[in-house]
């Protein structure tokens, strides 16, 4: 049975590929697995039918053969364990690749999300400039550590893995801030990852959703 | 070979069991696996020997038979996959338990950590009270969603799992804020989890490290 994932009917990033369904789409493309997408409005995400799939009322979810999962990290791990391509066969290398998945989500992403949240909810406040300096410093410190680890390697630990996939999507959230470009090897790393055909296919698919929603809105009769 | 984990020589929480080695200790106790601990000073954590094990210079790390891992979530998953007790045998239930591990670390913990960071770095600032109200609201919303999902069940999905273990350690970080107590079923959930003998053994072991460091400091000759 083809799995179904959920995504925003209208992504707040206007098709920039920063919503978390992109991570799962990219994974499915890397693994060569077909999938279907069910689009949800913000109102639908908070209704009982969706909360039964995702207790925090977010996207993406994953459904296949009676199994329902939430949390993009868990969905990606579930898929990567069942189809070859995103986790090494060697047991130790596999655990290390999974460590990079957790590092992306628990160590690198939180200060980046905090920075976006500050922009969303505090940019009109008198303290915003002062906090932004502090948050940028925190993000820069993490990226410096990541850059030092990466060195001149192509990927974080051996071949491209689910850890690199997640780390790339996390770094892409900083795109507009320009901080990644301060670390030449990280900028090259993101460019290398997003040049992968699987990324390109996933990006085009999520962008198409945005373009169609926009076209539908434009062709709607004036109220 | 007995695995070795790393922990703070002097935990900033003064033995309250909130440092991330506690999660791994608790896991090892639940699984009945012996372990050794190597204590590190803050200076040692940032030196090349430790950075080779942990690119972000933190604790805990895990070493066994030539394999080195970092990220508490990844260490716990590695252990839970190799020893029975913290993940269901059924494949679907197993993926759902892992989803709760990711939910604890990527969805519930970040706003809680942001709240602690604000206290650490912004509590002297004019805006602190205003931000704290906002952060508390964000934490409360997550806890409300978690509480609604838990309902009157004992654990998040079936039997006690690695997901419950991680979620408990995340909720414990809010202990001093009193926010968990606003949700009676979550307070009971934390009490149920921390009453487990494995938790108690792990807590006593990390507390002993703090007590010994304190005794050593007190018996040191005056400068």
């Amino acid at each position: 049975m083809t799995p179904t994932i959920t995504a925003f009917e209208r992504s707040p990033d206007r098709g920039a590929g920063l919503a978390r369904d992109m991570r799962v789409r990219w994974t499915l493309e890397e693994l060569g697995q077909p999938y279907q997408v069910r689009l949800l409005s913000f109102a639908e995400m908070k209704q009982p039918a969706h909360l039964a799939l995702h207790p925090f009322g977010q996207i993406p979810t994953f459904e296949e053969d009676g199994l329902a999962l939430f949390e993009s990290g868990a969905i990606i791990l579930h898929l990567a364990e069942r189809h070859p391509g995103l986790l090494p066969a060697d047991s130790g290398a596999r655990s290390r690749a999974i460590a990079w998945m957790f590092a992306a989500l628990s160590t690198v992403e939180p200060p980046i999300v905090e920075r976006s949240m500050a922009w969303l909810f505090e940019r009109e406040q008198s303290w915003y400039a002062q906090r932004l300096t502090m948050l940028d410093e925190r993000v820069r410190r993490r990226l410096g550590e990541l850059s030092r680890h990466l060195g001149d390697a192509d990927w974080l630990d051996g071949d491209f893995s689910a850890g690199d996939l997640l780390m790339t999507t996390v770094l892409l959230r900083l795109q507009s801030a320009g901080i990644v470009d301060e670390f030449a090897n990280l900028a090259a790393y993101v460019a290398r990852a997003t040049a992968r055909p699987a990324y390109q296919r996933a990006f085009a698919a999520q962008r198409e959703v945005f373009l169609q929603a926009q076209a539908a809105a434009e062709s709607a009769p004036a109220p």
Side-chain angles (χ1 to χ4, degrees), chain A:
Chain A
M1 198 182 95
T2 307
T4 299
I5 67 168
T6 49
F8 290 123
E9 188 179 72
R10 280 163 183 265
S11 179
D13 71 357
R14 302 179 55 84
L18 303 179
R20 288 182 173 82
D21 60 297
M22 178 65 199
R23 303 169 174 187
V24 176
R25 289 175 186 269
W26 185 6
T27 298
L28 288 156
E29 292 288 352
E30 290 283 353
L31 301 174
Q33 298 299 309
Y35 64 100
Q36 302 182 74
V37 183
R38 190 169 68 248
L39 301 176
L40 296 172
S41 68
F42 288 101
E44 285 168 329
M45 286 166 59
K46 305 298 174 186
Q47 280 163 15
H50 188 65
L51 290 172
L53 296 175
H54 196 313
F56 301 100
Q58 298 173 330
I59 61 98
T61 53
F62 173 89
E63 292 160 86
E64 186 180 32
D65 297 330
L67 172 68
L69 290 178
F70 67 107
E71 285 290 332
S72 51
I75 296 168
I76 293 168
L77 182 59
H78 174 87
L79 289 165
E81 281 180 331
R82 279 156 184 80
H83 308 282
L86 286 176
L87 286 176
D90 171 75
S91 145
R94 197 176 182 94
S95 291
R96 290 201 310 273
I98 295 172
W100 281 109
M101 294 179 66
F102 280 98
L105 298 176
S106 323
T107 299
V108 180
E109 188 170 47
I112 294 174
V113 168
E114 186 171 342
R115 197 181 173 284
S116 315
M117 295 288 270
W119 187 82
L120 275 175
F121 298 110
E122 299 173 46
R123 69 180 184 276
E124 306 297 342
Q125 303 289 351
S126 57
W127 66 71
Y128 180 64
Q130 215 177 325
R131 279 204 76 230
L132 188 64
T133 305
M134 197 168 79
L135 295 173
D136 279 354
E137 211 33 67
R138 216 175 278 167
V139 168
R140 229 169 241 126
R141 193 160 55 232
R142 281 278 180 274
L143 263 51
E145 291 157 345
L146 188 66
S147 169
R148 182 184 53 204
H149 170 83
L150 182 64
D152 56 9
D154 276 357
W155 308 115
L156 292 168
D157 191 336
D159 292 335
F160 180 83
S161 78
D164 293 297
L165 187 153
L166 272 171
M167 191 64 81
T168 300
T169 62
V170 164
L171 295 177
L172 281 169
R173 301 189 75 156
L174 282 173
Q175 223 164 11
S176 59
I179 304 181
V180 174
D181 293 329
E182 296 172 20
F183 302 89
N185 65 343
L186 294 185
Y189 170 79
V190 170
R192 200 152 42 235
T194 55
R196 294 173 71 88
Y199 175 89
Q200 295 291 331
R201 288 193 297 271
F203 184 86
Q206 64 78 36
R207 183 150 176 81
E208 187 58 27
V209 172
F210 168 72
L211 294 175
Q212 291 201 359
Q214 198 179 38
E218 281 168 5
S219 69

